[in-house]
Amino acid sequence: MFANGYGKSKAGMRATRFGPDTTKRDAPPMGATADCDALLMAVRARLKLSVGGPVGATSRRHADDSAHLVRASVLECVTDLDRLRDALRAEFELHGQLQREVRGVHAALANARTELAGTRAGERRARHLASHDSLTSLPNRDSFRERLDQALAREEPRKALLAVLYLDLDGFKEINDSHGHDAGDELLRIVAARLGGAVRAGDVVSRLGGDEFACLLADGMDRKRLILLARKLFDIVSAPSRIGPLTICVRPSIGIATCPGDGTNADELLRSADFAMYLAKRRRSGHAFFDQGAASRSA
């Protein structure tokens, strides 16, 4: 009865763990399986041996000897079962430790990915801040010069289409002094948004500093179209701006320089457009093209 009961328990354990048609993907490690099988087979053999004596023995001495052997064999089986339990416990603890370590590695990898993404986002923000004006988010002077250099580096036929517009806000200092820097900053943000919305997608609007802005028309225009654009920019910047309880109006002066007539590099074009802007300011004409004769006389 004891042997049959044990045999059923073992068979049930195998059927529950693996089943007749399943794979061994859920099995414990191979070392644990081999050790457990060896111990189970040894226990089974001892139990069978302990009950396998002759049924018709009549000698009391023989019966006592048989009982002693059975008891000793069963005690050995119990010891082996304890060893089996300890081995299984050790294997399962090791398995659990490995699972925890794997989860720890996965968590570390997830943290590393998060930190890497944060680092890359930080680098992108740093690059953006280095190349853009913090108040208006427009490209700053250095970024504008870089894009102007890139446009000038194109093949010669395309250089003839390039134009630079230089804008300055007339009377901005008085507005800043009268209404405060917060109102002045908001006015600059409004002007930046209006300029950005008035040019084409491929053009570049930049805040050079203070109340000075610039536009790069890389796929440029002829003189007539440049005049129309300058008038358009003048009108949208001059439109009243509502800032809190205030309504503020400001006029731009716009200087225009084209390549190659007014310059063939970034310094020359910016200098020519700046000079043209001062011509427009002095004449109060809204906009002016670079005039080499006026530049020569002023020098």
Side-chain angles (χ1 to χ4, degrees), residues 67-82:
H68 178 74
L69 290 173
V70 168
R71 183 174 181 277
S73 182
V74 169
L75 290 175
E76 289 182 4
C77 290
V78 170
T79 300
D80 286 341
L81 286 173
D82 288 340

Side-chain angles (χ1 to χ4, degrees), residues 190-269:
I190 291 172
V191 170
R194 290 177 178 178
L195 291 175
V199 299
R200 301 165 301 183
D203 298 332
V204 179
V205 176
S206 167
R207 182 188 177 206
L208 301 179
D211 61 335
E212 296 180 342
F213 296 84
C215 297
L216 168 61
L217 311 177
D219 294 324
M221 304 175 178
D222 57 24
R223 188 180 182 91
K224 181 178 180 180
R225 292 177 64 196
L226 285 171
I227 292 173
L228 292 175
L229 176 61
R231 289 174 177 171
K232 176 183 177 181
L233 296 181
F234 180 88
D235 289 340
I236 64 168
V237 172
S238 300
S241 299
R242 187 75 177 175
I243 302 174
L246 303 173
T247 299
I248 299 177
C249 295
V250 64
R251 284 169 45 100
S253 292
I254 305 172
I256 306 169
T258 59
C259 177
D262 303 328
T264 56
N265 59 54
D267 288 335
E268 290 175 352
L269 283 170

Side-chain angles (χ1 to χ4, degrees), residues 59-179:
S59 169
R60 181 176 181 82
R61 180 180 176 183
H62 180 72
D64 291 342
D65 290 343
S66 296
H68 178 74
L69 290 173
V70 168
R71 183 174 181 277
S73 182
V74 169
L75 290 175
E76 289 182 4
C77 290
V78 170
T79 300
D80 286 341
L81 286 173
D82 288 340
R83 291 171 55 202
L84 174 61
R85 180 196 60 192
D86 293 341
L88 287 174
R89 181 178 298 168
E91 290 291 344
F92 290 148
E93 287 179 355
L94 177 60
H95 184 64
Q97 180 182 350
L98 290 175
Q99 284 186 324
R100 288 190 294 272
E101 290 177 357
V102 168
R103 286 195 294 269
V105 169
H106 287 168
L109 288 174
N111 289 337
R113 284 193 293 267
T114 301
E115 291 177 0
L116 180 60
T119 300
R120 289 175 176 170
E123 290 175 351
R124 287 193 294 270
R125 285 193 297 272
R127 286 195 297 269
H128 180 83
L129 290 174
S131 60
H132 288 73
D133 172 55
S134 60
L135 179 65
T136 63
S137 294
L138 292 177
N140 58 22
R141 179 182 289 271
D142 290 339
S143 179
F144 185 82
R145 286 180 58 88
E146 180 181 351
R147 299 188 192 196
L148 180 54
D149 286 334
Q150 291 172 355
L152 290 167
R154 294 175 180 173
E155 60 273 19
E156 290 296 329
R158 292 180 64 86
K159 285 185 181 180
L161 303 176
L162 188 148
V164 173
L165 277 63
Y166 203 112
L167 293 85
D168 179 86
L169 303 181
D170 299 342
F172 178 78
K173 183 179 183 303
E174 289 74 15
I175 293 173
N176 228 9
D177 293 341
S178 300
H179 303 295

